[in-house]
Amino acid sequence: VTDRASGKGTLNFSNSLGNTSYCVVGNALDGGSEDDNRFFNHSSNSTYSAAAFDFFTGYTANTSGGATLQDASAVSVVVFGD
């Protein structure tokens, strides 16, 4: 994992996948209270290749949908592909 900025990272595969037809499932952990609205998303405006993909993590601060990027205490990721 490469840290690109607060709440932004790149996951690099040790061995490239066969193509870009893969699925990413992720989770961001805060380590705080149970009512935190954490998210893990793929960044569609940047790297999505057979060798790596960019992601971002953060939290939703209010009901208006405003989001703040922030590093998570831990991130779990599973990739399904060739």
Side-chain angles (χ1 to χ4, degrees):
V1 175
T2 302
D3 186 6
R4 296 183 297 122
S6 181
K8 296 181 178 182
T10 301
L11 187 123
N12 303 289
F13 302 123
S14 298
N15 298 309
S16 293
L17 297 172
N19 54 53
T20 58
S21 296
Y22 58 86
C23 174
V24 176
V25 180
N27 182 49
L29 173 70
D30 173 29
S33 62
E34 293 180 4
D35 62 351
D36 291 340
N37 295 313
R38 290 285 166 180
F39 61 81
F40 168 94
N41 283 325
H42 164 67
S43 179
S44 60
N45 293 336
S46 48
T47 302
Y48 190 81
S49 70
F53 70 89
D54 289 342
F55 64 90
F56 56 98
T57 62
Y59 63 93
T60 305
N62 53 47
T63 57
S64 69
T68 300
L69 295 182
Q70 184 181 52
D71 290 342
S73 300
V75 173
S76 301
V77 178
V78 178
V79 178
F80 299 95
D82 293 339

